[in-house]
């Protein structure tokens, strides 16, 4: 089979309380994606609907969405892998097209977190852990990441101030991202100001400013085979390689607490398949549900040696003017985290960067290589890497899937001659 390309991307605005139904929410991201791709619903052979169903009141949303979006009688599939749902959806879409079973597949991610209360949301997040051996003891996502933060601090001397710098960077770009929930500036001083909500403790050493917020939102990515991609799109982003790994669900079964070995393993697979290294990456999207998650991503993906991620953010190397810009759309810390839509949003950002269409947050140089990494904990996870050359872009995603709520997604991209 030939190359597989991304021909359209879109997302809704991420908001704290979407007033419409989930099908209307999904339509917002789908509409932008269809306009971006310049195709009609008749051109789509199949759809994959992605969300974390424990947050949805609608059971089996795939059929409802396919009908509402005009994607019947084409087959539709429902896919769930928590925070990595729409990232995994892209991997499955790639496989469906690569196999020849379908020519064009739409991946639609959504979540309306406001349908349930914060207490209900926390309870559901807790059940992402092992319900026999961990979640009954009160473990929640902030607590898990706090343990990783503590381990990183003990091993490498990382400080809460280092983590605060990541949030300040996120807010720098979140202010100019019209799709983001949190569009206010954050200063370093807010983390030491007892009057600022940013300094309020959540799970030591993590504070409010170290944590992303829930949100309502949708995203959409359309994948096509080489023939269709060239016919429909002037700048297809080619998927060149994938990587995946898994690890123990329970934290006691992990072999590392200062990072994610599966992220490293999946990234290495994707780099090898794409024929690049971490040094070739020009821009990255990583899953910064907590500031420590971004810090670990720097190291797991090879942008910094273990323990030296803090040096990248101190020297502003992960700002858009730096050597490896990371999350220059504001990341989850500014955009918010509508679970099923997050991966698609990250992919959208990378695609826009590679096309040179990133609006107010492009990196100064034309990116050759980009990497989105969607982080989830405790479920298998995967990755992709993006490549772009000449007038076309090529995408290969390196996803790392981890058994629990993290999913890591890496995308590497490099310029390829037009063909």
């Amino acid at each position: 089979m030939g190359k597989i390309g991304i021909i359209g991307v879109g997302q809704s605005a991420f908001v704290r309380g979407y007033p419409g139904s989930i099908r209307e929410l999904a339509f917002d991201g789908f509409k932008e994606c269809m306009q971006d791709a310049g195709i009609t619903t008749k051109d789509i052979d199949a759809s994959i609907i992605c969300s974390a169903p424990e947050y949805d009141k609608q059971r089996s949303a795939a059929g409802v969405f396919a009908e509402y979006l005009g994607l019947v009688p084409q087959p539709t599939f429902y896919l769930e892998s928590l925070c990595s749902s729409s990232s995994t959806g892209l991997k499955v879409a790639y496989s469906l097209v690569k196999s020849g079973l379908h020519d064009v597949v739409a991946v639609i991610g959504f979540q309306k977190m406001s349908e349930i209360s914060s207490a209900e949301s926390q309870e559901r997040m807790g059940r992402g852990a092992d319900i026999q051996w961990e979640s009954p003891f009160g473990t929640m996502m902030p607590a898990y990441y706090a343990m990783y933060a503590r381990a990183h601090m003990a091993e490498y001397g990382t400080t809460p101030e280092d983590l605060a710098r990541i949030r300040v960077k996120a807010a720098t770009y979140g202010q100019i991202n019209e799709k983001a929930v949190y569009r206010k500036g954050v200063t370093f001083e807010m983390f030491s100001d007892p009057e600022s909500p940013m300094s309020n403790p959540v799970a030591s050493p993590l504070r409010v400013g170290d944590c992303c917020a829930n949100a309502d939102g949708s995203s959409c990515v359309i994948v096509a085979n080489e023939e269709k991609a060239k016919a429909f799109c002037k700048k297809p982003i080619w998927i060149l390689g994938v990587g995946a790994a898994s690890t123990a669900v329970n934290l006691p079964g992990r072999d590392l607490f200062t990072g994610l070995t599966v992220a490293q393993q999946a990234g290495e697979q994707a780099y090898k398949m794409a024929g690049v290294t971490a040094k070739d990456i020009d821009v990255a999207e990583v899953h910064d549900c907590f500031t420590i998650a971004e810090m670990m991503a720097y190291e797991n993906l090879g942008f910094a040696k273990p323990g030296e991620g803090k040096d990248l953010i101190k020297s502003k190397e992960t700002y858009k003017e730096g050597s490896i810009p990371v999350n220059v759309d504001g990341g989850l810390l500014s955009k918010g985290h509508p679970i099923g839509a997050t991966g698609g949003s990250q992919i959208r950002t990378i695609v826009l960067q590679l096309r040179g269409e990133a609006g107010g947050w492009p990196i100064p140089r034309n990116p050759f290589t980009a990497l989105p990494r969607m982080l989830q904990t405790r479920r298998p996870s995967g990755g992709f890497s993006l490549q772009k050359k000449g007038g076309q872009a090529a995408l290969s995603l390196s996803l790392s899937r981890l058994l629990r709520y993290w999913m890591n997604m890496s995308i590497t991209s490099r310029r390829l001659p037009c063909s």
Side-chain angles (χ1 to χ4, degrees):
M1 299 297 294
K3 296 182 290 186
I4 310 300
I6 292 178
I7 64 170
V9 290
Q11 77 167 81
S12 71
F14 287 1
V15 298
R16 291 287 284 172
Y18 184 76
S21 67
I22 56 171
R23 67 190 76 191
E24 292 169 315
L25 178 60
F27 176 77
D28 289 347
F30 179 71
K31 178 182 178 181
E32 182 180 278
C33 187
M34 292 293 286
Q35 290 173 337
D36 182 53
I39 63 176
T40 71
T41 54
K42 292 181 180 180
D43 297 313
I44 296 175
D45 296 335
S47 60
I48 301 173
I49 311 301
C50 311
S51 79
E54 59 268 31
Y55 300 94
D56 304 334
K57 291 185 176 180
Q58 172 66 56
R59 183 174 180 270
S60 190
V64 173
F65 283 12
E67 177 187 5
Y68 186 75
L69 300 176
L71 297 175
V72 292
Q74 302 97 307
T76 186
F77 308 97
Y78 188 66
L79 188 150
E80 178 271 327
S81 60
L82 294 176
C83 305
S84 63
S85 293
S86 51
S87 305
T88 305
L90 180 61
K91 187 176 184 182
V92 172
Y94 169 87
S95 301
L96 289 172
V97 176
K98 189 71 173 177
S99 70
L101 192 61
H102 295 289
D103 295 333
V104 181
V105 177
V107 179
I108 301 163
F110 82 97
Q111 211 77 62
K112 190 178 179 186
M113 304 292 288
S114 63
E115 284 200 318
I116 59 177
S117 69
S118 294
E120 290 172 321
S121 177
Q122 283 296 318
E123 186 271 335
R124 284 156 175 74
M125 287 184 182
R127 284 197 275 122
D130 187 320
I131 62 170
Q132 182 172 356
W133 297 113
E134 284 195 338
S135 59
F137 299 98
T139 47
M140 295 290 179
M141 289 308 105
Y144 282 119
Y145 280 92
M147 286 189 279
Y148 273 99
R150 281 291 183 200
H152 205 276
M153 290 175 176
E155 182 71 20
Y156 301 120
T158 306
T159 66
E161 289 73 26
D162 295 324
L163 300 184
R165 291 184 177 95
I166 290 175
R167 180 55 189 263
V168 171
K169 174 180 68 69
T172 298
Y173 301 116
Q175 293 176 80
I176 56 176
N177 185 350
E178 62 183 13
K179 303 283 190 179
V181 166
Y182 196 90
R183 300 189 64 188
K184 298 179 180 179
V186 174
T187 66
F188 187 71
E189 291 71 26
M190 288 180 178
F191 284 85
S192 57
D193 180 0
E195 300 300 318
S196 171
M198 289 289 154
S199 66
N200 291 343
V202 175
S204 181
L206 301 181
R207 300 143 297 184
V208 169
D210 293 302
C211 309
C212 76
N214 291 341
D216 299 341
S218 68
S219 63
C220 184
V221 179
I222 297 176
V223 177
N225 64 23
E226 184 173 4
E227 179 182 357
K228 295 286 187 179
K230 289 180 176 179
F232 291 139
C233 184
K234 293 181 180 179
K235 294 182 180 179
I237 304 298
W238 304 113
I239 300 176
L240 302 182
V242 298
S246 62
T247 191
V249 172
N250 289 300
L251 277 181
R254 304 285 178 86
D255 56 357
L256 182 68
F257 296 98
T258 56
L260 303 173
T261 55
V262 287
Q264 180 181 352
Q265 293 161 357
E268 289 173 350
Q269 292 172 30
Y271 289 155
K272 182 178 180 181
M273 193 169 182
V276 301
T277 69
K279 293 181 179 180
D280 297 313
I281 305 299
D282 288 322
V283 60
E285 278 283 305
V286 306
H287 191 80
D288 58 328
C289 48
F290 299 89
T291 51
I292 185 60
E294 180 167 328
M295 179 77 72
M296 293 191 296
Y298 297 163
E299 299 167 6
N300 298 152
L301 294 172
F303 304 149
K305 294 179 180 178
E308 296 182 5
K310 59 182 180 295
D311 299 325
L312 281 185
I313 189 64
K314 281 182 181 178
S315 60
K316 295 192 173 182
E317 292 299 324
T318 53
Y319 279 69
K320 70 178 186 178
E321 298 84 7
S323 60
I324 176 61
V326 176
N327 290 0
V328 293
D329 60 355
L332 281 67
L333 290 167
S334 289
K335 289 191 299 182
H337 185 20
I339 293 178
T342 293
S345 172
Q346 292 181 293
I347 295 162
R348 171 183 175 270
T349 292
I350 290 300
V351 169
L352 294 180
Q353 286 285 355
L354 292 172
R355 290 182 187 167
E357 300 172 1
W361 27 271
I363 63 172
R365 60 189 178 277
N366 188 21
F368 293 171
T369 308
L371 187 161
R373 173 174 174 259
M374 180 67 194
L375 198 54
Q376 183 190 335
T377 322
R378 308 231 172 163
R379 279 191 183 258
S381 97
F384 305 87
S385 27
L386 266 164
Q387 295 217 349
K388 175 185 179 184
K389 276 201 174 179
Q392 291 191 3
L395 165 80
S396 97
L397 291 163
S398 108
L399 261 149
S400 61
R401 269 172 82 184
L402 177 76
L403 289 173
R404 194 159 187 165
Y405 277 103
W406 318 55
M407 171 146 189
N408 283 287
M409 180 171 180
S410 322
I411 292 185
T412 329
S413 133
R414 184 178 260 192
R415 293 191 164 197
L416 298 173
C418 295
S419 56

